[in-house]
């Protein structure tokens, strides 16, 4: 499990973006929406944005390692 407790909306955004990336259909708008939510969440929680992004990607792309 990730050390960060991600909200469901952020996990859903990242999952959708990851699926789109794998399918070759990721849009810049979709990527920007994820980035904006990551940035907002990091600021809300007082966390480093880079660390939030890395943990989020790990939680979505490699859930078995949690």
């Amino acid at each position: 499990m990730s050390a960060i407790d991600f909200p469901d909306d952020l996990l859903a955004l990242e999952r959708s973006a990851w699926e789109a990336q794998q399918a070759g259909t990721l849009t810049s708008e979709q990527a920007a929406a994820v980035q904006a939510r990551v940035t907002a969440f990091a600021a809300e929680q007082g966390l480093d944005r880079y660390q939030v992004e890395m943990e989020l990607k790990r939680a979505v792309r490699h859930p078995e390692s949690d």
Side-chain angles (χ1 to χ4, degrees):
M1 182 164 184
S2 174
I4 300 173
D5 187 21
F6 294 108
D8 291 339
D9 70 308
L10 182 52
L11 287 167
L13 275 173
E14 179 61 28
R15 281 188 192 109
S16 178
W18 176 234
E19 290 168 3
Q21 184 177 355
Q22 290 179 302
T25 60
L26 182 67
T27 65
S28 58
E29 291 83 9
Q30 191 174 16
V34 174
Q35 201 55 231
R37 185 64 181 108
V38 165
T39 301
F41 176 74
E44 291 164 7
Q45 300 297 311
L47 299 170
D48 177 70
R49 186 208 51 84
Y50 176 76
Q51 189 63 38
V52 168
E53 185 174 352
M54 295 307 295
E55 287 292 324
L56 179 62
K57 288 182 185 308
R58 186 175 300 122
V60 168
R61 298 176 186 190
H62 305 287
E64 70 282 353
S65 67
D66 289 339

